[in-house]
Amino acid sequence: GLVVSTIIFMVATVTPSFAQQKPKEKIELQHGAHRTGKRTDADMQTWRTYGLGQFIHWGAYSLLGGKYNGEYYNGAAEWIRVWNKVPNAVYDNLYKQFNPQQYNPTQWAAMAKQMGVKYLTFTTKHHDGFCLWPSKTTSYTIAGTPYKKDIIKPLVEAYTKAGIDVYLYFSVMDWSHPDWRYDLKTREDTIAFDRFKKFTKDQLTELLTLYPETKGLWFDGTWDNSWKKSGAFTDSLEQYLKALRPGLIIGSRLRADDLGNRHNDANGLLMGDYEQGWERKIPKTYADVHGNDWDCVMTIPENGWGYQEKWLGHWKTSNELIEMLAQCVSLGGNLVVNFGPKGDGSFRPEEMTAAKDIGAWMKINSNAIYNCEYAGWEKQDWGYYTKRTGENKYYMIVFNVPVSGSLKVQPPRNWTVTKATLLGDATKNISLEKIDYGGSFIHLPKGFSTGKPFVIELETQKATGTGNEQKAKT
Ligand SMILES: C[C@@H]1O/C(=N\OC(=O)Nc2ccccc2)[C@@H](O)[C@H](O)[C@@H]1O
């Protein structure tokens, strides 16, 4: 009776209630994240302004285009070497036919410039190990092909000259190297993989030395246990590369922490300058972004990054790609659209059309994409908001016009919209009707339709007065 209830009372008062429980203990890590929050330096600020990027996957796999002996591989074309119908010896000798007579980096850069991309990510070496630069670390390089010449140098020069920053993709996993290991199970594995790590560091040193204009490295092929068990090495490698090239931008696919965690360390902190997990998928809400910088890399077909003669499944239309671009920028990220040139260095028509259409749209609407960030306004069904960094300027990127022809805008409390301008056709008379609580309706002219997404630029200011002044019809 009394004794028991007294004991229960005493226990209850000394045991912190669930809500008051101490935060999760921080796990001591030597090789976890060394920075919390975003990078704030100028190089990273520039990275945030890009909005739109181009990925290019090009290599020996481009010669096959996802096809061998008249049959199509139903996986990603740049992975065709793993298809049991392609003998490794056949694949590993393909490079002896690599002779892209239509390779014209100046034309590639011009197409990218017209498309409106601000950065390029280019495959220097994919999982097959074939190097598109004349590396001294292996004979499996462009120097051993009929083409002979360095692919990367003229590409970096042409894109840099066109005002497009260059980032180099590098696959750690290298199927061609005898010391590559998927896991470290024996002492021999560890000895071999130590040689492999030295080889990797040497190749990366070559890339940063030969192409000093490179703004960053896009790592891939780092999901296997061998790499997850090499946390200390991944940490020292990142520090070495950043010392070699101060300001270098490296995403979250390089590192592993002391316990083999990737992207986020055991304390949930991002290891890398931006989150690199958004591959062919886009965050749904701002919460999914966890306060990180991030970009989404996207194929135009459903999957497949290297040239594939037969695109599998659905091919994204230009409007779908533009909507993905709007979604990414509206959530504080960049969209990087992938192109897979053919073995001869030419682009397929669908990719050239996508570049042209996106470029035409960007010509009118790029103010809603470049130098923009997450707006934080209540999302509406008509599309996505972006905000110009450092200014009180907001953009509505509209994909779905309601049957009423009126677009609702609900700024945060105490803010109101003072002006609405249609980009590209300021004469189109759209009218702004103020409604309760700082909100507005933007009325589009009857029968307004551009057949493609359009942008309305909003000027805003802090609301004055009590907020119940007459609804001014402007
Ligand atoms: C950009 C793509 O990157 C890859 N792989 O990406 C991933 O492994 N993505 C991934 C893996 C685990 C979780 C989430 C994404 C490559 O295999 C592919 O050929 C292409 O180069």
Side-chain angles (χ1 to χ4, degrees):
L2 181 61
V3 172
V4 169
S5 54
T6 307
I7 291 168
I8 289 170
F9 171 72
M10 282 168 65
V11 169
T13 47
V14 298
T15 312
S17 75
F18 184 76
Q20 290 152 354
Q21 218 128 40
K22 280 204 305 292
K24 231 172 104 190
E25 290 298 305
K26 188 167 165 16
I27 299 168
E28 271 315 302
L29 295 169
Q30 297 304 314
H31 306 296
H34 300 307
R35 185 200 72 246
T36 53
K38 295 179 176 178
R39 257 179 63 167
T40 53
D41 58 288
D43 292 310
M44 201 66 207
Q45 302 280 18
T46 300
W47 188 91
R48 269 184 212 108
T49 65
Y50 290 150
L52 177 61
Q54 178 187 39
F55 215 145
I56 294 182
H57 277 72
W58 200 35
Y61 44 77
S62 311
L63 291 165
L64 293 182
K67 183 179 171 185
Y68 184 68
N69 271 352
E71 279 189 80
Y72 291 101
Y73 173 50
N74 68 3
E78 72 284 356
W79 275 74
I80 194 166
R81 187 179 185 275
V82 305
W83 189 23
N84 58 19
K85 295 193 188 261
V86 180
N88 285 349
V90 166
Y91 185 93
D92 296 342
N93 282 290
L94 277 176
Y95 77 114
K96 293 173 182 165
Q97 301 163 40
F98 196 78
N99 192 5
Q101 291 310 302
Q102 296 204 44
Y103 175 49
N104 183 328
T106 307
Q107 261 176 18
W108 286 21
M111 182 178 86
K113 182 83 183 167
Q114 184 277 332
M115 179 176 164
V117 306
K118 289 290 185 187
Y119 67 129
L120 164 73
T121 302
F122 181 78
T123 49
T124 58
K125 177 182 88 167
H126 204 262
H127 309 330
D128 58 7
F130 175 52
C131 300
L132 272 75
W133 79 98
S135 173
K136 300 255 181 298
T137 64
T138 167
S139 58
Y140 192 29
T141 80
I142 191 74
T145 71
Y147 189 76
K148 291 198 184 339
K149 293 169 288 183
D150 181 354
I151 291 285
I152 298 176
K153 186 141 195 76
L155 189 74
V156 171
E157 285 169 356
Y159 272 75
T160 304
K161 195 167 163 214
I164 301 171
D165 286 345
V166 177
Y167 292 70
L168 297 179
Y169 166 110
F170 182 89
S171 173
V172 167
M173 175 167 75
D174 182 332
W175 297 326
S176 76
H177 200 286
D179 291 333
W180 163 254
R181 292 291 183 279
Y182 287 97
D183 201 349
L184 308 178
K185 292 198 178 336
T186 65
R187 226 174 77 74
E188 286 66 35
D189 284 343
T190 302
I191 292 166
F193 203 63
D194 282 348
R195 287 194 298 266
F196 183 80
K197 292 189 287 194
K198 166 95 178 53
F199 158 78
T200 300
K201 183 174 175 180
D202 290 347
Q203 287 203 325
L204 290 165
T205 303
E206 283 185 330
L207 289 174
L208 293 183
T209 308
L210 289 167
Y211 318 112
E213 308 89 331
T214 304
K215 298 286 183 194
L217 295 170
W218 205 93
F219 284 97
D220 196 15
T222 54
W223 50 79
D224 289 297
N225 282 342
S226 50
W227 200 251
K228 286 179 178 173
K229 291 175 179 174
S230 303
F233 174 75
T234 70
D235 191 2
S236 65
L237 178 65
E238 183 179 70
Q239 293 183 45
Y240 165 78
L241 295 170
K242 290 194 169 187
L244 194 57
R245 193 60 72 241
L248 198 68
I249 292 176
I250 298 179
S252 63
R253 275 195 191 183
L254 174 65
R255 299 268 304 281
D257 74 3
D258 315 46
L259 310 174
N261 296 297
R262 290 181 62 239
H263 295 285
N264 295 306
D265 69 16
N267 296 309
L269 296 173
L270 191 74
M271 294 179 283
D273 299 324
Y274 64 95
E275 153 82 82
Q276 237 183 312
W278 300 104
E279 183 207 310
R280 291 180 297 132
K281 57 182 188 296
I282 296 173
K284 286 267 170 306
T285 67
Y286 194 62
D288 296 333
V289 164
H290 302 296
N292 295 321
D293 283 306
W294 61 278
D295 70 5
C296 163
V297 290
M298 186 59 73
T299 50
I300 299 177
E302 275 175 21
N303 190 8
W305 302 79
Y307 171 63
Q308 43 200 17
E309 190 184 298
K310 198 170 86 171
W311 268 359
L312 310 168
H314 175 69
W315 311 348
K316 296 163 190 82
T317 62
S318 302
N319 277 348
E320 280 176 288
L321 292 168
I322 292 166
E323 179 156 10
M324 291 179 171
L325 173 61
Q327 278 176 284
C328 288
V329 178
S330 77
L331 290 174
N334 298 326
L335 178 74
V336 185
V337 180
N338 182 69
F339 289 71
K342 298 180 187 174
D344 66 2
S346 67
F347 285 99
R348 59 185 312 149
E350 295 90 343
E351 291 183 349
M352 292 195 282
T353 304
K356 191 168 57 64
D357 294 349
I358 294 170
W361 188 84
M362 287 293 275
K363 202 168 175 61
I364 297 170
N365 301 294
S366 64
N367 277 354
I369 299 294
Y370 299 146
N371 306 295
C372 283
E373 62 188 40
Y374 170 61
W377 289 16
E378 177 191 313
K379 170 116 178 44
Q380 306 289 338
D381 293 340
W382 43 256
Y384 311 88
Y385 287 114
T386 61
K387 175 189 180 298
R388 201 150 188 74
T389 298
E391 293 179 42
N392 267 341
K393 216 164 247 187
Y394 292 77
Y395 295 92
M396 303 162 62
I397 309 178
V398 183
F399 291 85
N400 316 301
V401 177
V403 287
S404 65
S406 301
L407 308 173
K408 181 153 194 265
V409 174
Q410 190 64 50
R413 283 190 64 69
N414 303 326
W415 281 89
T416 180
V417 173
T418 52
K419 191 176 174 200
T421 312
L422 178 70
L423 289 195
D425 188 350
T427 57
K428 266 276 188 316
N429 59 333
I430 55 176
S431 68
L432 181 65
E433 178 198 356
K434 288 194 170 52
I435 56 179
D436 289 355
Y437 307 111
S440 299
F441 267 119
I442 289 174
H443 301 297
L444 300 171
K446 279 273 162 283
F448 178 96
S449 163
T450 66
K452 53 174 83 60
F454 58 90
V455 173
I456 294 173
E457 181 182 86
L458 302 176
E459 290 186 18
T460 64
Q461 67 181 20
K462 262 215 178 306
T464 53
T466 59
N468 59 8
E469 56 272 38
Q470 286 309 310
K471 293 170 199 160
K473 275 199 182 290
T474 54

